[in-house]
Amino acid sequence: MNQPTDRDASSDRATAAAASSRTRGPRSPRSSASRQSLDGIDDPEAFIAKIPSQSFHAIAVQLHAEGRLDLLFPHATSEQLTAVVDLGGWERDRLDVVRVREWLLAIIDTYEGANKPRGALASLVTAMDPEVWTFALLPGTAIHELDPDDDEGRDQAIKAVEHLYTYETPDGFFIVAVPDDPLGRTAIRILDALYHDDLALGRDIVVSVRTALHAVLEEDLLRWRNARLTDLGFVPWEEAMKLLRPLSREAALARLGEADPIADAQGPREHVGIPSTAGLLRRVLDRLSTDEHGLRTREFLLLVNELSAARRLSPGDPRAQEEAVVQVHATLNLGLERLASAAPAERSLEDFLGDRLVALGLRDLFRVGYGALDTLRSAALTLHRNGQASLSEVGSLLDRPWGPALRALVNWSPALPLEGGGTRPIATLADVGRAAQLTAEAAALTALTFGARGYAIAPGWVHRVDEPERLVLGDLVRTAVVHRQLPGHRGDLAPLTPADLLWAREHLLAAGRLRPAIRDDLLARAAAVGAAPATAEALADNLLGRLEIELAGLELDDEGRPDLLRIGGLLTIQRVGVWLRTGLTQEA
């Protein structure tokens, strides 16, 4: 059985509650702890200390926006405040000085507002990474050492930095100069607070700033930060990518000592699914014992963090974390549904899957679900790399919905496109079937366009139009459909003229619909290039439906000629001006 990393018991309970709430269904992104009034807690020190690092950071971001960090930071542990910098102060592998100074200043302000005793801030700095305070003050800061007995040297130092914002340290040993802007003044504010809390600490920080090497210091901080993130599940990228190594359903069942009853089944059973799959993960978790439920929800959070590391998502970005939560939830649901094929009829599906979840662990269950996603991704990448579906970007030559589908499926976390834009995770075998069907239709469209048994359109037409980035394969197919019906047509394709369009509207439409023979011809060609009947029908509905609209909606000018600027996507002489002017032919 897979076991997550051990943690403090109280932290485990808080983490388990957070993960459980996320797996049970959609909720507000606000943490439940942040919604509770922190100023009404009898013992805020004990309560806040139990909040896990990621939840603490999320609460801190929210309270910072509300101007209420005084409810949180004065009671936080040094580990929690270090986590705020780890999660909120970095941009990939580089420290963001603006954000770090903002968080450090917030710590100082809340400590002063809480009337912390003198020395409390110094103790906190020492318990955190003191080097991060040094690094925060380093960029743009110039330090001149003074000799208390040398007034002339002091005057020379002040004159040298008179164009900057300066600060003479309370011990009289240094003049610190920074740019006279809000960021520079923030550095002086931080340094002044350190000096007034502990004179020795302030002097040590100034000396550290004078002697520090930027690159070396940042490298050390990155190494320490990565170690702490690893404890939270944000493992190194190379290690995290192992999560995306598929585990087949057959291998998973064999590991459990079970046979796959549909391994030899005929037909696309993989995409049929099982009844009542909605909320499958939540239903299975609800059947587990309290201890087992807590263990698996903690494992869920570690899995979310590992996926975030694999996808190089920012560990401190709440939206990125929410995206990872949704993706893990969906893939685990898919993994459970794939294993459900082995469930005996006489046993509860949730109990059966609960046993498999416990035996495999969530990580391997995720890999089972990802096996179906990996197959979809491989098929989409193959289609993209054959050079007939993409030009300027993935799927750019494909009509809707196939272009957006291909772009969504080639990612490490394949998804389905939404009508209004964006994507949603693939969470069920029905989703897998829909994605597979879209990929099959896209592949059939390329074969129908360029295949010898399809419309055999020369690939060079893609680059002959004036704006290739606006061309999709459906434009070529619909143009070929019309061109092949023209009296005395020559070759496989040629740009349509106004006269061609008028003839097509008169002879190819009957009561606003294309003549049945045209659909029959397209279906026959699609079948000839290997498209399944359902795939061929989908292509015909999409392509010929648009052709009907284009021909029926021809807009005529004052002379009764079609306006080629308002013709839709058909390939007309208006779209191939360069080709016509140079005298090129189709064979050129």
Side-chain angles (χ1 to χ4, degrees):
M1 181 188 304
N2 295 343
Q3 297 288 345
T5 306
D6 291 334
R7 296 183 182 177
D8 176 79
S10 61
S11 177
D12 282 346
R13 288 192 295 272
T15 305
S20 175
S21 67
R22 282 170 167 169
T23 56
R24 288 173 189 270
R27 291 187 59 175
S28 167
R30 289 173 174 258
S31 166
S32 58
S34 67
R35 287 182 295 172
Q36 184 173 357
S37 179
L38 294 177
D39 55 358
I41 297 173
D42 293 335
D43 188 359
E45 298 280 351
F47 178 83
I48 291 175
K50 296 178 181 179
I51 302 175
S53 298
Q54 284 180 267
S55 299
F56 182 88
H57 171 255
I59 296 169
V61 170
Q62 178 182 329
L63 292 181
H64 188 26
E66 297 173 358
R68 301 170 61 214
L69 277 176
D70 56 297
L71 300 177
L72 185 70
F73 275 11
H75 312 293
T77 65
S78 59
E79 291 80 7
Q80 289 171 323
L81 295 175
T82 298
V84 169
V85 177
D86 284 343
L87 298 173
W90 290 77
E91 184 65 34
R92 289 192 178 273
D93 294 341
R94 304 300 301 271
L95 261 175
D96 186 324
V97 173
V98 175
R99 286 153 59 182
V100 173
R101 287 185 183 179
E102 182 180 2
W103 283 119
L104 297 187
L105 183 60
I107 293 173
I108 289 172
D109 288 342
T110 54
Y111 263 52
E112 291 179 348
N115 294 319
K116 288 278 187 175
R118 187 168 185 177
L121 181 61
S123 299
L124 175 66
V125 172
T126 304
M128 295 176 65
D129 288 336
E131 291 81 2
V132 81
W133 294 76
T134 297
F135 188 91
L137 300 175
L138 183 58
T141 300
I143 298 176
H144 295 266
E145 189 171 6
L146 301 177
D147 182 347
D149 298 327
D150 185 358
D151 293 337
E152 183 178 354
R154 178 179 178 278
D155 293 339
Q156 290 176 350
I158 293 176
K159 186 174 181 60
V161 294
E162 61 183 358
H163 60 291
L164 299 173
Y165 184 74
T166 59
Y167 169 77
E168 186 170 346
T169 60
D171 55 16
F173 291 147
F174 305 99
I175 288 181
V176 181
V178 296
D180 192 3
D181 56 30
L183 185 61
R185 290 175 178 269
T186 298
I188 297 301
R189 171 76 176 89
I190 293 172
L191 184 58
D192 183 61
L194 295 177
Y195 259 107
H196 280 84
D197 187 78
D198 188 299
L199 198 65
L201 173 66
R203 185 183 303 119
D204 289 343
I205 293 293
V206 171
V207 172
S208 297
V209 172
R210 286 193 70 208
T211 59
L213 297 176
H214 185 283
V216 174
L217 185 56
E218 187 174 38
E219 184 65 29
D220 288 341
L221 288 170
L222 176 62
R223 186 170 65 254
W224 299 331
R225 180 214 188 211
N226 286 344
R228 289 189 291 266
L229 291 183
T230 299
D231 291 340
L232 296 176
F234 295 98
V235 297
W237 180 79
E238 296 79 2
E239 183 68 23
M241 286 300 292
K242 295 179 181 179
L243 177 64
L244 305 184
R245 184 174 56 192
L247 178 65
S248 70
R249 177 182 56 200
E250 294 77 10
L253 292 174
R255 185 179 298 179
L256 299 173
E258 301 172 358
D260 185 357
I262 67 170
D264 300 322
Q266 300 297 319
R269 289 289 301 278
E270 173 73 16
H271 299 155
V272 173
I274 59 174
S276 303
T277 60
L280 192 55
L281 177 61
R282 175 186 58 78
R283 286 155 43 199
V284 171
L285 288 176
D286 283 346
R287 295 296 185 96
L288 302 179
S289 67
T290 301
D291 290 342
E292 190 66 41
H293 186 282
L295 178 67
R296 295 306 158 190
T297 49
R298 295 197 302 275
E299 190 179 7
F300 179 91
L301 282 187
L302 292 175
L303 196 58
V304 168
N305 292 347
E306 188 173 359
L307 180 64
S308 297
R311 295 186 55 191
R312 299 184 186 275
L313 301 176
S314 172
D317 184 347
R319 289 176 297 181
Q321 285 301 103
E322 187 65 26
E323 179 184 343
V325 167
V326 173
Q327 182 63 57
V328 169
H329 191 185
T331 307
L332 290 174
N333 265 313
L334 183 57
L336 288 171
E337 190 174 350
R338 296 189 77 202
L339 292 180
S341 61
E346 66 276 6
R347 189 176 180 198
S348 162
L349 177 64
E350 289 79 8
D351 288 342
F352 171 84
L353 292 177
D355 291 344
R356 272 79 210 147
L357 183 152
V358 170
L360 282 174
L362 290 190
R363 193 174 190 278
D364 279 346
L365 179 61
F366 179 95
R367 293 175 57 209
V368 172
Y370 191 77
L373 302 183
D374 184 68
T375 300
L376 293 173
R377 181 173 182 269
S378 297
L381 282 173
T382 299
L383 180 58
H384 162 60
R385 289 167 179 166
N386 73 7
Q388 296 184 329
S390 306
L391 187 63
S392 57
E393 61 179 5
V394 175
S396 60
L397 287 176
L398 296 175
D399 306 62
R400 297 183 65 88
W402 306 300
L406 197 67
R407 286 190 286 276
L409 290 171
V410 298
N411 297 319
W412 281 112
S413 294
L416 282 173
L418 297 173
E419 285 294 332
T423 61
R424 67 173 179 85
I426 296 173
T428 66
L429 292 181
D431 289 344
V432 172
R434 174 58 179 159
Q437 178 63 26
L438 287 170
T439 304
E441 292 169 5
L445 176 59
T446 64
L448 182 67
T449 304
F450 302 115
R453 303 185 69 182
Y455 286 96
I457 298 172
W461 279 108
V462 172
H463 301 284
R464 289 174 186 159
V465 297
D466 295 342
E467 297 177 285
E469 67 278 2
R470 297 181 58 186
L471 180 74
V472 291
L473 299 186
D475 297 346
L476 297 178
V477 171
R478 296 193 311 280
T479 303
V481 168
V482 173
H483 180 71
R484 286 174 178 271
Q485 300 296 320
L486 296 174
H489 77 88
R490 296 177 56 190
D492 299 311
L493 186 68
L496 301 175
T497 66
D500 295 335
L501 293 170
L502 288 175
W503 183 92
R505 185 178 68 171
E506 181 178 352
H507 294 87
L508 301 186
L509 294 180
R513 302 300 302 272
L514 286 172
R515 298 186 181 277
I518 295 176
R519 184 181 183 91
D520 293 342
D521 179 68
L522 188 146
L523 292 175
R525 292 175 186 275
V529 298
T535 299
E537 291 287 348
L539 292 177
D541 290 342
N542 184 298
L543 299 174
L544 299 184
R546 182 172 179 184
L547 180 58
E548 287 177 348
I549 295 173
E550 289 170 330
L551 293 179
L554 287 179
E555 296 187 32
L556 306 182
D557 59 21
D558 295 339
E559 298 178 359
R561 295 163 56 89
D563 185 350
L564 298 186
L565 295 177
R566 301 173 180 270
I567 200 59
L570 289 173
L571 193 64
T572 68
I573 56 175
Q574 179 72 34
R575 298 184 65 184
V576 290
V578 173
W579 178 71
L580 292 175
R581 287 195 300 272
T582 55
L584 296 176
T585 65
Q586 180 178 343
E587 292 77 18

